[in-house]
Amino acid sequence: MSLQKKLESVLSETSAAFGVTVKHLDTNEEARINSDQYFQMASTFKVPILATLFRDVVEGRLSLETRIRLTEDDLVSGSGVLKEFLPGAEVAVKDLATLMIIVSDNLGTDKVLELVGIERVDAFMKELGLAHISIQNSCWDLLSIGGGLAGEKKGREGFDKLNEVFQTTGIDSDSAIFQPTLENNVSTPDDMCKLLALIASGELVSQEACDGILDVMKRQQLRNRIPYLLPDKTIIACKSGTIGSVVNDVGIVYLPEGKGAFAIAAFSHGNESMKAGERIIAQLTRTAYDHFVGE
């Protein structure tokens, strides 16, 4: 059975809308399902941010060693640990970027985004030929709009207001952020997979930049999707994302016995629960893994 048919069989088990691109990076064998449709990226948009940061580091615009002082004005709700730090902590840019990826830290993300510039991240994707990756909102923007507090100023007061919303009503499923348009943080599975392939092959800016990006992504701590059903020692570089019924994961999976690697971009919305979406992504990844290793 072809990889395409195998993945379609997995998706027959869910009523959620999925977009998936899987590509073996050596043989170019691929499977694509709704791969040219736009999906809300959620926190997978942190991969383009990381890519832009390492581009700027290589070009000498930024240094990973620079320390950034965090204040209450930087507070962002949602995932991460930096929001729990006492005000005044000084954190290296490298550590902000690492936390942005490995625990999906929203505060760290928005600090890195301030350094590189949201318009420059979006422009860099276009320079790479990835016209279907659009980044228009910071984490704060995304969450405050989704929580019905569009325009709310970041800081302790806004942070507390948004946390109260999340504890009571949660994200508005009809919010504008879920519209699959270029005014939002959206991507097609195809373009995200292309970005991953550029990173995996060392073709994004320089080998040094790609090595740095992969080193961070391989330290991922959130492992309930792409990594979940894979053998324990499998090397994986990935980044997940969740908001509302959106459950995503994108990454590079390294196969055993010299069989290369494959990239996978799995986006979805309309999941009954986060666990349901996670289960499907894990099954998609294991199906691709078994196909490529010949099991």
Side-chain angles (χ1 to χ4, degrees):
M1 187 186 299
S2 70
L3 177 60
Q4 181 78 24
K5 293 295 185 183
K6 292 175 182 178
L7 297 183
E8 289 172 354
S9 177
V10 172
L11 293 180
S12 69
E13 301 174 11
T14 178
S15 60
F18 268 80
V20 183
T21 299
V22 175
K23 184 173 183 178
H24 193 285
L25 300 178
D26 293 334
T27 67
N28 292 324
E29 182 181 357
E30 64 181 1
R32 304 163 68 240
I33 300 166
N34 299 324
S35 61
D36 58 354
Q37 295 184 19
Y38 285 116
F39 288 82
Q40 165 62 249
M41 282 190 283
S43 282
T44 66
F45 92 111
K46 296 169 185 180
V47 177
I49 296 172
L50 187 68
T52 308
L53 171 64
F54 273 88
R55 188 273 305 269
D56 286 357
V57 168
V58 167
E59 294 181 351
R61 184 174 179 272
L62 294 170
S63 169
L64 294 175
E65 285 72 41
T66 299
R67 303 189 77 82
I68 305 296
R69 187 173 184 271
L70 307 180
T71 72
E72 284 198 336
D73 289 340
D74 298 315
L75 287 169
V76 182
S77 302
S79 58
V81 297
L82 290 172
K83 64 185 180 183
E84 312 296 345
F85 283 27
L86 291 173
E90 293 190 352
V91 184
V93 172
K94 172 66 181 300
D95 295 331
L96 291 173
T98 299
L99 291 172
M100 171 177 76
I101 297 296
I102 71 172
V103 294
S104 205
D105 198 289
N106 288 338
L107 191 161
T109 300
D110 281 4
K111 291 306 291 184
V112 173
L113 200 52
E114 287 177 19
L115 293 172
V116 299
I118 191 167
E119 299 86 359
R120 295 180 70 255
V121 178
D122 194 63
F124 185 39
M125 295 300 102
K126 304 305 184 285
E127 290 170 19
L128 293 171
L130 305 175
H132 301 109
I133 293 179
S134 176
I135 297 172
Q136 305 298 320
N137 297 310
S138 67
C139 290
W140 175 258
D141 293 336
L142 192 67
L143 293 170
S144 59
I145 295 169
L149 296 176
E152 183 71 36
K153 185 179 178 181
K154 194 160 55 166
R156 170 57 67 181
E157 184 177 349
F159 177 79
D160 289 342
K161 283 183 182 178
L162 193 54
N163 282 343
E164 184 177 353
V165 169
F166 290 155
Q167 290 168 7
T168 54
T169 59
I171 289 283
D172 179 5
S173 60
D174 295 323
S175 170
I177 61 171
F178 294 111
Q179 298 303 311
T181 68
L182 292 175
E183 286 71 42
N184 284 318
N185 290 1
V186 296
S187 176
T188 62
D190 274 354
D191 267 16
M192 180 59 77
C193 198
K194 289 175 185 175
L195 176 60
L196 295 169
L198 287 171
I199 295 168
S201 64
E203 297 176 19
L204 186 110
V205 182
S206 69
Q207 186 66 56
E208 177 188 4
C210 293
D211 288 345
I213 294 167
L214 289 170
D215 180 64
V216 173
M217 292 182 67
K218 287 175 181 177
R219 300 175 188 271
Q220 181 59 251
Q221 303 294 298
L222 307 176
R223 305 180 66 83
N224 287 336
R225 299 177 193 181
I226 286 175
Y228 189 66
L229 294 177
L230 298 180
D232 289 343
K233 294 184 179 181
T234 305
I235 298 172
I236 305 150
C238 61
K239 178 71 196 82
S240 59
T242 310
I243 186 167
S245 71
V246 170
V247 180
N248 301 335
D249 207 0
V250 304
I252 301 152
V253 177
Y254 295 85
L255 301 167
E257 301 172 5
K259 293 187 177 180
F262 68 90
I264 177 170
F267 295 141
S268 69
H269 62 81
N271 290 282
E272 294 180 359
S273 66
M274 184 173 69
K275 287 185 177 180
E278 289 178 335
R279 183 176 64 251
I280 293 295
I281 293 174
Q283 290 173 345
L284 288 167
T285 308
R286 182 66 201 224
T287 297
Y289 179 95
D290 289 344
H291 177 85
F292 289 131
V293 298
E295 294 183 3

